[in-house]
Amino acid sequence: MKMMYSRLMDIYNRLLAHFGPRHWWPADTPFEMIVGAILTQNVSWRSASAAIANIKDAGLLSVDGLLASGEEELAALLRPARFHLQKARKLQAFCKVIAEEFRGDLGAFLSQNIHTLRPRLLQIYGIGPETADAIILYAAEKPIFVIDAYTHRIFNRLGYFGEKAKYREMQDFFMKHLPPDVPLYNEYHAQIDALGHNICFKSRPRCEECPVFDLCKAKYRQK
Ligand code: SF4
């Protein structure tokens, strides 16, 4: 157990030294973070942030604002984030829960313990495990390790997970070997994202620049 902790912290410290602190999540408020987590599904952060800017410019970045706008009006603002009609419905479904069950009080919703909050998030249209866990970690600031495609790809290549590893299996692995520490989980996920986004590409990863090259089972020798 201790040995795995040391290995995971070695990877983390190398990534942190290479990329520097990532200052996640890039949002001014918990509500903006949640909107961003839904909008960034299946698209780049750049696309999601263009849609957030549109919502802000329209003065709609609030539970009441998003619920007051028509679905098509909202979808038009979300166009840069693609799947815009679907994402308009997802945002409004989330806002409806806050408005109807928590009288619009997002803080009260987020203050629930993880064991209540996570299942409730997963019942909301459009919120899957990755989005739910990002909301729990970055908006509610509670310790849960977020898994995404980069985590699977990188830790598969490093030799920790199989090709078919399931979300829960990967999450349990990190949470078994790392202490429940919100700042650590926050930064670790952000560092994995930096490696996946900048170096460990799906095809033709830039292994010669990788800070964990010597630990990797699947490193690709560059020609
Ligand atoms: S050495 Fe290459 S394949 Fe391995 S983690 Fe680094 S970039 Fe990815």
Side-chain angles (χ1 to χ4, degrees):
M1 173 129 179
K2 250 186 158 177
M3 187 187 287
M4 195 57 77
Y5 167 77
S6 303
R7 286 185 193 166
L8 290 176
M9 289 307 293
D10 180 30
I11 293 167
Y12 171 74
N13 286 322
R14 290 182 191 210
L15 296 176
L16 186 60
H18 188 86
F19 295 109
R22 308 299 292 167
H23 306 294
W24 271 32
W25 185 285
D28 293 334
T29 63
F31 185 68
E32 183 177 330
M33 181 274 141
I34 293 166
V35 169
I38 292 171
L39 294 182
T40 200
Q41 292 172 352
N42 304 113
V43 297
S44 68
W45 175 250
R46 188 192 293 190
S47 304
S49 64
I52 294 171
N54 286 347
I55 301 175
K56 274 187 178 171
D57 291 347
L60 297 176
L61 191 59
S62 64
V63 169
D64 290 344
L66 292 182
L67 284 177
S69 59
E71 191 176 273
E72 295 204 354
E73 177 199 351
L74 180 56
L77 298 173
L78 304 183
R79 200 169 278 277
R82 295 173 58 216
F83 314 106
H84 44 289
L85 196 54
Q86 208 180 58
K87 288 185 177 174
R89 287 188 191 135
K90 290 179 181 182
L91 289 179
Q92 290 188 321
F94 176 80
C95 290
K96 210 162 165 233
V97 170
I98 304 304
E100 292 179 359
E101 296 176 28
F102 294 85
R103 299 183 181 185
D105 185 349
L106 179 64
F109 176 76
L110 294 175
S111 70
Q112 300 175 89
N113 71 51
I114 291 182
H115 304 295
T116 310
L117 181 56
R118 191 172 195 269
R120 186 65 195 93
L121 278 163
L122 290 171
Q123 285 166 357
I124 300 173
Y125 169 68
I127 297 189
E130 183 186 335
T131 306
D133 292 340
I135 291 170
I136 293 168
L137 179 62
Y138 291 103
E141 299 184 357
K142 297 179 197 299
I144 196 155
F145 205 93
V146 182
I147 303 297
D148 62 5
Y150 290 145
T151 316
H152 189 186
R153 181 198 305 156
I154 291 165
F155 281 81
N156 168 257
R157 288 174 173 176
L158 289 173
Y160 290 87
F161 303 142
E163 289 281 351
K164 294 190 175 159
K166 297 268 185 293
Y167 189 98
R168 199 67 200 224
E169 177 192 334
M170 294 187 277
Q171 183 175 62
D172 287 350
F173 170 80
F174 284 103
M175 295 186 67
K176 180 175 166 197
H177 296 294
L178 295 173
D181 178 329
V182 172
L184 174 65
Y185 286 9
N186 173 324
E187 193 62 47
Y188 210 139
H189 178 64
Q191 292 295 332
I192 290 170
D193 183 88
L195 182 60
H197 185 72
N198 298 298
I199 296 178
C200 192
F201 304 131
K202 194 170 179 181
S203 45
R204 301 181 63 80
R206 302 198 327 222
C207 299
E208 73 283 7
E209 295 173 29
C210 182
V212 292
F213 179 84
D214 57 308
L215 305 177
C216 185
K217 303 269 188 290
K219 52 189 167 257
Y220 300 83
R221 300 269 172 208
Q222 307 292 304
K223 294 194 175 142

